[in-house]
Amino acid sequence: MTDHAGASTVRTSPSLTAQPADDRTPGRRFVFFSMTVLIFGLIAAGLVSWWQPMRPGAQWIWIGALLAVGFLLAEQLAVNVDVRGGVSWTISFTEIPLVIGLFVAPFQVVLAAHLAAGVGTYLARRVQDRIIYNTGVFIIEIASAFSVTKLLNGALAGFGPPWTGVLAGALAAPLSSTLLALVGVYILGRRMRISAAVRLVARILVLGLVNSSVGVVGYEVATRVEAGWPLVLVAFGGLSALYLAYSGLVREQRDLEALSEVSLIVARSGHQAAARPATGMDDTVEAVDTDEWPGIAHRIKDQLGAARVVIRLQVDTQGPMMTFVSGEPQPAEMLKIEITGPKADPLLRLPGSHVRHFRRSDAVPEIRQALLRRGIEEALVVPLRSANHVLGIVEVHDKLSRWRGFGQADLRMIGTTASHLATAIDNRRLLATLRHDAYHDPLTGLLNRPGFRQAAGERLRATPKSVVLRVDLDVLATISDALGYAWSDRMVITAGRRLRDVLGSEVPLARLERGAFAALLVGVTLDEAQATAERLCAELSTPYPVDRLTVEAGSVVGYSSPSSIAGGHGGAEIDTNLTTALDVDTLLQRADVALRAARSSGEQVRAYLPSMGQIFLRRFQLVSQFRQALECGQVKVHYQPKVALPSRQLLGVEALVRWRHPEFGPLDPDEFVPAVEAAGLVDALTEFVLDQALVRVRKWLDRGLRISAAVNISVRSLADQRFPDRVSARLEQHRVPAELLTLELTESGVMADPQRALPVLRRLHTLGVVLAVDDFGTGYSSLAYLRQLPVDEVKIDKSFVLGMGSDLGDLAVVRSIVELGHSLGLTVVAEGVEEDIARDQLAAMGCDVAQGYLISRPLSETRLEAWLQARTTQAHGLRDEMVLTLIT
């Protein structure tokens, strides 16, 4: 048993396989170490030859040839037990022919046989990068074996069995090579713990003792026992059968480890890609991570013992092909080849997805030429195929660890690996597509609001001199009314292209809605921002060709920056502290204020000024007057009915807050609810709506009606561990069954702090309260968290439902959410149902509940009772309760 350090394909038994470090210093040190080992080995060989001279004889020729065959077989029958972190432990049987040589041949003959087998094997496998080192180790192994044998036989002359020295000499060979290998691995830049090195040496000694004992026993039986050769043959036959069985199990173990390692590489990269924030660039490039594929290629090469592995990837049929090589460099002519199309390389024109095994000896001329261009004898080629096209090709060139070439186990291994890789690429492509769709506007391809928030947020925090622009394109409503949405969409697309041409490809640019755009200018003064805004207006004012007409569209730009908020102007520098205090949403909001001010004053461009902040003053007034409004009855609860599909049975209502302010009149909930929540008053609002809704449900119960009520809860409520106790107390106070109360929460509310929200949700679910995810599809859309949440319903956001009739994308999203919800056992509610066709489409999809203006607007308590009497019929249900059904 011997031991050597080397590159990815080295002779080892057991072995330490180390890849050279990236810098050249360890490589130079190892070359010097290799020369030292070789010189020391030659000196040792000369000394042992002088000490143990060889008697001439013709018999040494055939004995040496037989020993060389024995060493050669031992080299070819090595079994790799483990490969981790560049360290492999390989069982071989070189001690058996070494023991025979110690018994029957002089040092010079055994050394020549060992060198012929070992060096010849490396040359045949074309492994030349460590041949100097390994040659020196071969010599030192044989020299140490004969030296120990000679010394021990001399010391024990007349004592003990005659084979004691041979057994000790056979053990000295792997021990010496192992110590040299540990030094070599250290020089190559790898580190092993002392405990790991001790365990390795112990394993080598145990296996060396076993192999040496087998050789000694075989020799003694064959030479001293009458008719002993048959016994030796039977014993070796049994050992060979055990070896074959064990080597098969070890191969399967290593294949599984390789598959697991490749899967982990891909999975880690996928998780990093999923956690990576949007940058505003094309997310589809994330389908291939150029850092992970060289490692995958190297792992496949090591596992199959190949001279070279080439992975060619072309995920996008229109994009460039990426090539990753492990092992010997490719010939120059192979650097640019096609994998698909009429000019594809013959080796790569692969129908199906199974593995092809090509040999130069039996290939057709076209394939033989392809192999010759690569400079190889044989190749395994397998496509990485998705459902509709080839994503790439994996080529494995020339088997090194077996002269017989690639076998069935290799074909199975590379086929299974390719299947895993193709699936991983497809999943990454899907992830990249979903990320792109989540952060980009489908009409223009620009960023959407969430994408702009992420792309601009990082740059805003990194660069103090930043300006947010808000651009509005006018006359879209007129074009839509006159010619339809298709023509207004074309104008929006054209406007987006013009904005991109002016701003350049590096500027984060988003379409927020309809004709509203936003951009972040980094590293500019306010004067430069003013000039850029004026150029944008000039470019957008260029006439648009619309249906054989020429339409001139006006535009308005508002912009905001930390310095404008501080009252700066002109070329003022922007305060870094202010930049970190303001987020993108705030700057967008203030740019919008500036835009509205520009529109009202008839200007095209306006910068935000603190005097424009009356909206914030109004917000402050609303917050300060909110508690008084609750006590004075200004804040009321309206109810919007929800009906089952397709039965039209009234299932419940959603409680919606309304505020009629004595000064400002009716207030939009989107205006005062965020202000109330930001001021920390949302608990009072939630409890008010919850009490009103439960009182209403109790009144219905007293009349024999089981109508549930849904109440929206905020992020603050989900973070309050006492909230479930308060809900339970109110259910008991109003004597309302928990299943008649639905609490609606948003995806963003849960994802803001899932670790705190989940315990609260689980306690609410334990109470029996129905939990619903509101506005599903517009938030984080984390399916992993949705599966963990103890929710009973998902509510499809009305933006998707409203667009079902005209947008196939919205229709597909709604259908997907319905199918997803049902697959998770959830009730699916559709908001924003305003047309008969939308209701019918939802019913056909299997959507459970509908809510929207088609059924009813939100109604006050009095008007709701009138609506129930006028629009519903009563009947007895299965449990003898009254059931209300909507009249068509």
Side-chain angles (χ1 to χ4, degrees), residues 355-357 380 406-416:
V355 184
R356 266 61 166 203
H357 187 187
L380 299 180
F406 295 110
Q408 288 300 316
D410 299 316
L411 269 68
R412 289 194 299 270
M413 168 64 189
I414 190 62
T416 306

Side-chain angles (χ1 to χ4, degrees), residues 339-640:
I339 64 176
T340 58
K343 297 182 180 179
D345 185 85
L347 216 62
L348 309 182
R349 291 200 291 263
L350 303 175
S353 58
H354 56 281
V355 184
R356 266 61 166 203
H357 187 187
F358 299 110
R359 297 185 186 89
R360 193 192 299 179
S361 58
D362 56 8
V364 298
E366 189 180 33
I367 298 297
R368 187 179 299 113
Q369 288 300 318
L371 294 173
L372 285 171
R373 285 197 301 271
R374 290 165 169 80
I376 57 175
E377 292 291 333
E378 65 172 334
L380 299 180
V381 184
V382 56
L384 304 177
R385 187 177 294 277
S386 71
N388 51 9
H389 73 283
V390 176
L391 302 171
I393 298 286
V394 178
E395 301 179 42
V396 184
H397 298 167
D398 284 348
K399 183 78 170 179
L400 294 177
S401 59
R402 295 287 188 273
W403 287 351
R404 60 181 172 82
F406 295 110
Q408 288 300 316
D410 299 316
L411 269 68
R412 289 194 299 270
M413 168 64 189
I414 190 62
T416 306
T417 303
S419 176
H420 282 222
L421 292 176
T423 302
I425 295 175
D426 250 358
N427 290 340
R428 291 286 296 278
R429 290 174 66 218
L430 176 60
L431 173 64
T433 301
L434 291 175
R435 282 175 55 81
H436 183 274
D437 292 346
Y439 292 111
H440 289 78
D441 173 55
L443 181 63
T444 61
L446 303 175
L447 295 169
N448 57 15
R449 188 181 294 272
F452 184 75
R453 182 182 295 117
Q454 286 210 16
E458 293 294 328
R459 304 188 188 196
L460 183 63
R461 285 188 289 271
T463 307
K465 295 171 60 176
S466 301
V467 175
V468 171
L469 300 179
R470 269 279 283 111
V471 183
D472 259 14
L473 188 65
D474 292 336
V475 310
L476 284 182
T478 305
I479 297 298
S480 300
D481 294 341
L483 302 175
Y485 286 106
W487 285 106
S488 65
D489 287 346
R490 293 177 190 178
M491 285 189 64
V492 169
I493 294 171
T494 303
R497 290 173 181 167
R498 293 180 180 181
L499 291 173
R500 175 57 73 199
D501 291 341
V502 172
L503 296 174
S505 59
E506 299 301 319
V507 173
L509 176 62
R511 179 197 177 213
L512 305 179
E513 58 194 5
R514 296 289 293 157
F517 298 87
L520 177 72
L521 304 181
V522 178
V524 299
T525 64
L526 295 180
D527 287 342
E528 293 169 338
Q530 177 77 19
T532 301
E534 291 172 355
R535 287 207 322 273
L536 293 177
C537 288
E539 186 66 27
L540 293 175
S541 64
T542 303
Y544 297 80
V546 176
D547 193 19
R548 300 186 302 275
L549 301 174
T550 300
V551 177
E552 293 186 2
S555 60
V556 183
V557 179
Y559 62 91
S560 174
S561 71
S563 69
S564 67
I565 295 166
H569 53 83
E573 297 294 330
I574 297 174
D575 188 355
T576 311
N577 296 327
L578 283 171
T579 304
T580 57
L582 295 167
D583 58 15
V584 177
D585 287 334
T586 303
L587 291 175
L588 268 177
Q589 180 187 24
R590 296 180 177 182
D592 189 58
V593 172
L595 185 146
R596 291 199 299 270
R599 178 173 284 120
S600 62
S601 64
E603 299 178 73
Q604 278 193 314
V605 179
R606 285 288 297 271
Y608 176 83
L609 298 174
S611 59
M612 299 176 183
Q614 296 303 317
I615 185 172
F616 299 104
L617 176 61
R618 170 169 165 149
R619 186 174 182 177
F620 175 78
Q621 287 179 290
L622 295 180
V623 169
S624 61
Q625 297 170 5
F626 180 72
R627 285 194 180 275
Q628 182 181 2
L630 285 179
E631 297 170 358
C632 297
Q634 297 174 15
V635 179
K636 297 185 180 296
V637 176
H638 287 201
Y639 303 91
Q640 186 172 32

Side-chain angles (χ1 to χ4, degrees), residues 87 198 207 338 540 622 625 830 872 880:
V87 177
V198 170
L207 291 171
E338 297 183 17
L540 293 175
L622 295 180
Q625 297 170 5
T872 62
D880 201 33

Side-chain angles (χ1 to χ4, degrees), residues 201-217:
V201 172
R203 290 170 180 170
I204 291 168
L205 290 177
V206 170
L207 291 171
L209 181 61
V210 171
N211 287 343
S212 302
S213 300
V214 170
V216 170
V217 170

Side-chain angles (χ1 to χ4, degrees), residues 257-271 292 296:
E257 288 181 355
L259 285 172
S260 174
E261 184 173 334
V262 169
S263 299
L264 286 174
I265 292 173
V266 176
R268 281 195 297 266
S269 178
H271 292 159
E292 71 185 21
I296 292 173

